[in-house]
Amino acid sequence: MSKYSDWYIFQEDIKDHFDSLGADAETNVRVQGVRTSHDVDVFVKTKFLGENITWIVEAKHWKSKVTKAQVLALRSIVDDIGADRGFIISIAGFQSGAFEAAESTNVKLKTFDELKDDTKGLIEAEILKTYYKRLVLLEDRYWSHSKRVRIEYGLRHDVIDYSMQFTGQQLLITARTAIMAAEARNYPIDLESFLKEHKGEKIAHNFQQLSMWLNLNLNHFEEKLLNAEWEMYKNGDYNPDTCRTRDNGTTTTEMLAKATYNAGKER
């Protein structure tokens, strides 16, 4: 009974972890595959960026290490169900043959702590993709206006103005560099833009702090850009370069952000 209780608690802890990430997780689920039905310890369904994701998890609260045969069995279940990924979570570890059987497959072998770290990183990566999409749209809108118009409507400082009150290019570079660092999980992240008009802290020690900074600053820039474009429209100056696309090559923002990020890695 004690062994069963330990396994049950272990399984429920794994389910609770996925629930905490916003996924829909169930324990002891019978899932119908193409060839047959399968009893799954933890069945996880969630949605990232509009795409349905299905994971299955085997909870091994055993004293012995997981074997190659058990990994091959899970690979067969993952294939039959059509799951995106399978996990074996073991408290005792895995035999070398198990790692060989899982290599280059969509079956992952983890301890519970490793599962929590890896899935957290996966969620963060998906959130960063949404920030990146917002950033790209802002970059395209910003660069679609001529330099004269950007200066006239407060989207960047004048060439002879060194006050650094606000310039969209600098904010975009800081945001893009920060996203690149977060993708590499390279914390703390320097958020110093040297602009007098800025939002949030100047350093992010974790993903939550970076997320808050990106929300504050991208929202601020979107509002500033929208107000400027409305004034352009009223004054007859709204004439963006609508031929600009991502296929036209690397933007100035991208080049400078990459240079800034690489320089930071070398320090």
Side-chain angles (χ1 to χ4, degrees), residues 205-244:
H205 295 279
N206 53 51
F207 180 78
Q208 288 73 25
Q209 292 177 2
L210 174 64
S211 182
M212 182 177 295
W213 186 92
L214 286 169
N215 271 323
L216 286 171
N217 284 275
L218 294 183
N219 287 345
H220 174 65
F221 191 36
E222 283 170 344
E223 181 180 6
K224 195 173 185 71
L225 187 54
L226 181 62
N227 289 337
E229 288 175 334
W230 176 241
E231 291 300 317
M232 294 175 204
Y233 177 77
K234 290 194 295 184
N235 296 333
D237 290 330
Y238 185 71
N239 187 32
D241 180 4
T242 55
C243 294
R244 190 180 194 88

Side-chain angles (χ1 to χ4, degrees), residues 141-159:
R141 283 175 63 189
Y142 177 78
W143 292 109
S144 72
H145 301 296
S146 69
K147 184 177 180 180
R148 177 193 65 79
V149 168
R150 283 184 275 127
I151 292 173
E152 184 174 343
Y153 287 90
L155 295 176
R156 61 156 291 166
H157 59 70
D158 200 343
V159 176

Side-chain angles (χ1 to χ4, degrees), residues 165-199:
Q165 182 66 31
F166 182 85
T167 178
Q169 177 178 309
Q170 186 61 39
L171 179 58
L172 293 170
I173 291 169
T174 304
R176 182 177 275 272
T177 306
I179 290 174
M180 292 169 64
E183 288 173 337
R185 306 188 80 175
N186 187 19
Y187 292 93
I189 296 175
D190 185 3
L191 301 171
E192 175 61 80
S193 65
F194 301 101
L195 300 176
K196 292 181 181 178
E197 188 179 323
H198 71 276
K199 303 291 182 180

